Amino acid sequence: MKVRCSQLKDITILGIETSCDETSAAVAVNGRAILSNIISSQVDLHGKFGGVVPEIASRKHVELVLPVINQALEEACVEAKDVDAVGVTYGPGLVGALLVGLSAAKGIAYVLNKPLIGVHHIEGHIAANYLENPLLEPPFICLVASGGHSHIVYVKGFKSFEIMGRTKDDAAGEAFDKIARAIGLGYPGGPLIDKTAVNGNSKAIEFPRVYFQGGSLDFSFSGLKTAVLNYLGNMKQKGEKIVIEDLCASFQQAVVDVLVKNTVEAALVREAGKIALAGGVAANSLLRRCMKEAAEKKGIEVYYPKPVLCTDNAAMIASAAFFEYKSGNTADLCLNAIPGLKLGD
Ligand code: KG4
Ligand code: ZN
């Protein structure tokens, strides 16, 4: 008789994330359950500059990384010596910011003689779905839309990825942030536009949607951004009143329409019955609603993490690290930060 051998021991991983402007540490078990997830955001600090200032981000990470790690262990009621491995984001991201988390992770791994695991930030975003939906397994299509990335990824296995579409210019979140800045809403723009759009008419202003020919599932948001900036300039020149709510709703609808159409198309091409959303933009209420509506019409299920797991956090890094650990994919202390790390590298 064949006996199915389940995992003998739970694997507890300390995750560390400092790729941009959140200093985060978390403890997760078997890539599926969160024991703690501490996120210290620097949003207020960068807000007055309208975006992340890399040097300020690195300095703040240096101040915060150890207290945040200690808090994560304390909240999880886990002693550092009892974790099975330390997972850390090593790219892509801001090099100075990445180096802070990486140095802390190496120090802990060395002192405690634990395996060090380098995690790709986008794999982390995808893994947030495993924390939210403990039964979710590949294959599925994942739309990863954040401040730095807009990728349609075919997740063939826990560690096997194929990029089916990507942005040719701005990332979706970057477009939200730039438009919010242009209309004086603040930073980060995504959540502010999401909120403001609730009271607006999404059909008030006709903004362009870019679709590429020949089956390409790539995105382009720079034309949309220019169209919004031109609209603002024209209205100002004519002395006409801009209804911010309508502008936010119309812009948001244009972004969401393209993200939804291409992602559902990718699922149909790969005959995938599941779509997952990941990255900061996955917190967008219209995107969640429209993706569900469009996918369900085609019999495709839609998964997304709660908003706090969509934006940068270390629980997702601890989850992705678990799947690396299971494949025996540990790193040595020479692991370096790679700001432009590609998915699948
Ligand atoms: O994943 P994330 O925290 O950082 C990166 O890896 O880039 O994503 C941050 C991005 C920002 O551009 C932010 O404006 C956007 O996600 N974002 C949103 C929403 N919440 C965050 N965009 C649209 N709607 C939201 N509710
Ligand atoms: Zn991110």
Side-chain angles (χ1 to χ4, degrees):
M1 193 177 74
K2 228 180 175 179
V3 180
R4 226 177 131 227
C5 189
S6 63
Q7 201 173 286
L8 295 173
K9 173 186 173 297
D10 283 339
I11 301 300
T12 303
I13 295 194
L14 169 66
I16 300 171
E17 155 65 40
T18 63
S19 67
C20 191
D21 61 343
E22 331 278 356
T23 318
S24 182
V27 180
V29 178
N30 299 337
R32 298 286 188 172
I34 302 174
L35 298 188
S36 65
N37 189 20
I38 309 299
I39 305 164
S40 174
S41 173
Q42 305 176 8
V43 156
D44 294 346
L45 210 59
H46 299 282
K48 57 175 173 284
F49 301 103
V52 179
V53 183
E55 186 56 31
I56 295 179
S58 318
R59 283 164 192 259
K60 206 66 197 165
H61 285 312
V62 171
E63 271 174 45
L64 292 170
V65 73
L66 293 180
V68 163
I69 291 171
N70 281 330
Q71 201 183 334
L73 290 166
E74 232 167 74
E75 203 167 285
C77 296
V78 169
E79 287 191 43
K81 68 174 177 48
D82 294 329
V83 303
D84 294 287
V86 183
V88 63
T89 308
Y90 74 110
L94 303 169
V95 67
L98 288 165
L99 279 170
V100 178
L102 196 55
S103 306
K106 283 184 190 177
I108 295 168
Y110 178 70
V111 168
L112 299 174
N113 197 21
K114 304 285 179 187
L116 175 72
I117 299 170
V119 175
H120 191 293
H121 184 74
I122 293 184
E123 289 188 34
H125 274 302
I126 295 170
N129 283 284
Y130 301 134
L131 294 166
E132 185 76 42
N133 308 283
L135 299 179
L136 176 66
E137 294 200 351
F140 57 86
I141 295 292
C142 189
L143 169 69
V144 187
S146 69
H149 315 275
S150 296
H151 285 3
I152 295 178
V153 183
Y154 179 37
V155 183
K156 293 187 258 189
F158 286 106
K159 292 202 18 57
S160 173
F161 309 96
E162 176 195 334
I163 297 179
M164 297 179 69
R166 51 157 53 93
T167 183
K168 287 184 180 290
D169 38 58
D170 290 352
E174 195 180 350
F176 272 97
D177 293 339
K178 285 178 176 168
I179 296 308
R181 186 153 86 179
I183 56 180
L185 272 189
Y187 173 84
L192 298 166
I193 289 183
D194 195 349
K195 208 166 140 208
T196 310
V198 171
N199 301 313
N201 173 6
S202 63
K203 294 194 174 75
I205 312 159
E206 186 57 37
F207 287 129
R209 278 94 168 134
V210 172
Y211 300 103
F212 293 96
Q213 305 266 303
S216 164
L217 297 173
D218 286 343
F219 303 111
S220 168
F221 296 109
S222 70
L224 169 61
K225 182 188 67 192
T226 308
V228 176
L229 297 179
N230 285 344
Y231 173 84
L232 289 171
N234 289 338
M235 293 295 277
K236 211 170 152 195
Q237 221 169 28
K238 289 192 258 174
E240 288 182 29
K241 187 177 174 304
I242 296 162
V243 183
I244 291 294
E245 291 80 0
D246 286 351
L247 182 119
C248 287
S250 302
F251 161 76
Q252 179 175 259
Q253 189 71 58
V255 176
V256 165
D257 282 353
V258 180
L259 293 176
V260 168
K261 188 166 186 297
N262 286 9
T263 307
V264 172
E265 184 59 30
L268 294 175
V269 168
R270 286 285 176 272
E271 296 179 353
K274 292 174 269 183
I275 286 175
L277 307 182
V281 181
N284 186 268
S285 56
L286 184 76
L287 175 64
R288 289 166 173 250
R289 202 167 62 239
C290 292
M291 189 69 81
K292 239 176 166 338
E293 269 169 30
E296 281 172 2
K297 271 189 204 150
K298 306 280 182 193
I300 301 165
E301 285 179 283
V302 175
Y303 297 81
Y304 40 73
K306 59 173 82 64
V308 70
L309 294 178
C310 289
T311 45
D312 289 350
N313 68 90
M316 69 185 198
I317 302 304
S319 172
F322 168 76
F323 297 105
E324 299 288 347
Y325 180 92
K326 266 200 2 181
S327 328
N329 224 348
T330 57
D332 61 30
L333 295 178
C334 296
L335 181 69
N336 207 350
I338 306 182
L341 186 66
K342 300 274 178 291
L343 192 64
D345 281 1

